[in-house]
Amino acid sequence: MYQPVSLFIGLRYSRAAKGNAFISFISFFSITGITLGLIALITVISVMNGFEDKLKKSMLGYIPHISLENQNHTLEDVEQFALQFQSDPRINHITPYVKAEALLQTSAEIRPILLQGVFLTEQFTALQDKMTQGQWQRLFSTRYSIAMSQYLANKLQLRVGDQVRVIVPAASSFTPVGRVPSQRLFTLVATFSTGSEVDTALAFTRGEFVSRLLKTSPEKVPEIAFELNDAFLIDEILNDYHIHFSQFTTTDWRATQGTLFSAVAMEKRIMSLLLGLIILVAVFNIVSALIMMVGEKQSEVAILQTLGLTPAKIQQVFIVQGLYNGVLGTVIGASLGVLFAANINEILAAVGLHFLGGAALPVLFEPMQLTLIFTSSIAMSFIATLYPAAKAAAIRPAEVLRYE
């Protein structure tokens, strides 16, 4: 099969047994370094992507991604407002929303919580497969009913069917004995477990009951909640609909959970940088090996030039030779990295290592991220070949062959 002469010679140099064992060792070390660096980088990034996705689903799936506050809207107003966003695939659903900071009191303990009011069954979709006891549907059929996490129920020593006093300090009434916070006995109808921080301070009841505790009209909806298909699209949505949101006081999930996800993102970037340095060190070995190869092959380069090979073609020969090591290490490393990450739980179990109390490590591959890692490795390998290749192209045949 026809090959350009520079490609043919470059591949021949790459595959031929080297006379200099030290150059061979450095070439092997560069391929191995790139391979190991990519395996480590792809594995770590994929696991961290999995953790981030798990956090996103477990912590952001139960709170509004965007909250629009306006005290003057009714349920009908919210329905009309939501019609404007029906065609946007990024928005999962829009629902009325009301919340209150409350206390749960039993004879055993008092616990502070965020009490969320639900108006529609769609607002409870994310928790339907997280139920541990009771039936969440009873929230909509039983007066003054409440659903809380199994963690809270255990702390308060409650079981389904028991009553718990809900106290809202922000709303109070005057009595002969002084100011008394708004309170009411609620019946526990369901418990859930998300396995996240949400379990420590979140409970649900119907929106109208929260409004009564807050001593506001049940006909009015203080907030409108947006749930997005991807919570990280928050900036896109806010920019696209800033005119629609101008009449509201707008808050989003970053107000309460933004610090955690910023820390995770920062950790991902730092880990990527540190592991990327491993690949960079391996790429520098390509430079070392090529420079020594140029010094060893000076006479051959000079002969090729006398036979008519131009300096540009000579440069291409050594670029091909250097890229051979870079591409080989990248292909092997990327392939093994994906395989290792995809089977990391089985591999860890086989060697007897267990993390997270025996729970499986979450793994998530992002094609764009993998493509960026692959192309960056190839690009660094290409850049590493430019200086040695330029040095080879600058060889003067007359000076090299003078004493041959």
Side-chain angles (χ1 to χ4, degrees):
M1 183 175 67
Y2 170 77
Q3 285 181 327
V5 65
S6 54
L7 178 62
F8 174 78
I9 297 172
L11 291 176
R12 187 178 178 86
Y13 276 172
S14 301
R15 293 192 292 251
K18 310 288 194 308
N20 191 321
F22 186 61
I23 297 177
S24 300
F25 171 75
I26 292 181
S27 296
F28 172 77
F29 188 78
S30 66
I31 294 173
T32 305
I34 292 172
T35 299
L36 294 177
L38 283 173
I39 291 174
L41 181 59
I42 290 173
T43 301
V44 170
I45 290 299
S46 299
V47 171
M48 293 193 73
N49 286 341
F51 273 118
E52 187 177 58
D53 185 65
K54 188 175 181 180
L55 278 175
K56 185 164 62 173
K57 290 178 179 176
S58 62
M59 298 190 70
L60 303 184
Y62 316 113
I63 61 175
H65 297 157
I66 301 175
S67 179
L68 307 180
E69 185 176 351
N70 190 321
Q71 301 288 340
N72 299 319
H73 284 79
T74 63
L75 289 173
E76 291 75 17
D77 294 334
V78 174
E79 291 176 3
Q80 289 298 317
F81 180 76
L83 293 176
Q84 303 174 70
F85 307 92
Q86 274 187 334
S87 59
D88 194 329
R90 298 170 298 177
I91 299 174
N92 193 11
H93 55 71
I94 301 170
T95 56
Y97 180 66
V98 60
K99 67 180 184 295
E101 293 182 354
L103 298 172
L104 296 182
Q105 181 187 36
T106 64
S107 57
E109 195 173 351
I110 297 178
R111 303 287 296 189
I113 61 158
L114 177 67
L115 184 63
Q116 288 194 10
V118 293
F119 293 85
L120 306 171
T121 56
E122 289 86 348
Q123 292 174 272
F124 220 74
T125 303
L127 283 172
Q128 289 179 14
D129 59 347
K130 305 291 184 182
M131 306 309 298
T132 56
Q133 294 182 34
Q135 297 177 325
W136 65 268
Q137 293 89 342
R138 290 186 61 194
L139 274 179
F140 300 92
S141 60
T142 304
R143 285 180 59 80
Y144 292 104
S145 55
I146 190 171
M148 67 180 70
S149 68
Q150 189 65 55
Y151 171 85
L152 282 174
N154 292 339
K155 288 291 183 181
L156 295 168
Q157 299 181 13
L158 291 173
R159 291 181 296 180
V160 171
D162 291 347
Q163 288 192 319
V164 58
R165 185 172 297 278
V166 178
I167 305 170
V168 179
S172 59
S173 56
F174 289 99
T175 69
V177 295
R179 184 185 291 269
V180 176
S182 178
Q183 53 188 289
R184 180 84 189 200
L185 284 175
F186 280 71
T187 302
L188 179 63
V189 296
T191 60
F192 56 85
S193 178
T194 66
S196 70
E197 189 181 343
V198 168
D199 289 346
T200 63
L202 192 63
F204 297 87
T205 187
R206 278 166 55 187
E208 63 178 286
F209 303 145
V210 178
S211 297
R212 293 182 190 279
L213 282 171
L214 290 170
K215 298 188 181 300
T216 59
S217 171
E219 302 299 323
K220 298 292 184 180
V221 179
E223 297 182 45
I224 302 173
F226 280 65
E227 182 183 308
L228 310 181
N229 287 318
D230 184 351
F232 289 173
L233 295 177
I234 189 80
D235 286 323
E236 260 186 52
I237 298 295
L238 292 176
N239 289 333
D240 291 348
Y241 296 111
H242 67 277
I243 296 177
H244 297 75
F245 297 164
S246 59
Q247 58 180 311
F248 300 94
T249 301
T250 306
T251 57
D252 58 68
W253 62 265
R254 291 174 297 190
T256 55
Q257 306 295 338
T259 303
L260 173 63
F261 284 90
S262 295
V264 171
M266 179 63 72
E267 189 175 355
K268 279 175 63 178
R269 285 193 288 268
I270 291 174
M271 291 299 295
S272 299
L273 177 61
L274 293 177
L275 294 172
L277 290 176
I278 298 174
I279 302 172
L280 190 60
V281 170
V283 166
F284 272 111
N285 287 320
I286 295 177
V287 180
S288 304
L290 275 182
I291 288 175
M292 287 187 284
M293 179 63 71
V294 169
E296 186 181 77
K297 300 290 186 182
Q298 282 192 54
S299 59
E300 294 181 22
V301 171
I303 292 170
L304 288 172
Q305 285 183 315
T306 60
L307 292 174
L309 214 61
T310 64
K313 294 292 184 183
I314 294 294
Q315 193 171 13
Q316 290 171 15
V317 167
F318 286 92
I319 288 176
V320 168
Q321 184 182 356
L323 271 178
Y324 178 83
N325 292 341
V327 171
L328 185 61
T330 300
V331 171
I332 295 174
S335 302
L336 291 179
V338 171
L339 285 173
F340 185 84
N343 299 282
I344 188 169
N345 291 301
E346 291 78 5
I347 294 170
L348 292 176
V351 299
L353 293 176
H354 300 284
F355 300 102
L356 304 177
L361 292 174
V363 176
L364 177 65
F365 294 113
E366 293 188 3
M368 287 297 295
Q369 211 170 54
L370 294 177
T371 302
L372 179 62
I373 292 171
F374 187 89
T375 54
S376 297
S377 178
I378 298 292
M380 286 192 291
S381 301
F382 173 73
I383 293 170
T385 66
L386 295 180
Y387 173 72
K391 191 173 180 181
I395 291 175
R396 297 180 179 179
E399 293 182 5
V400 173
L401 298 175
R402 179 180 300 173
Y403 302 107
E404 291 291 333

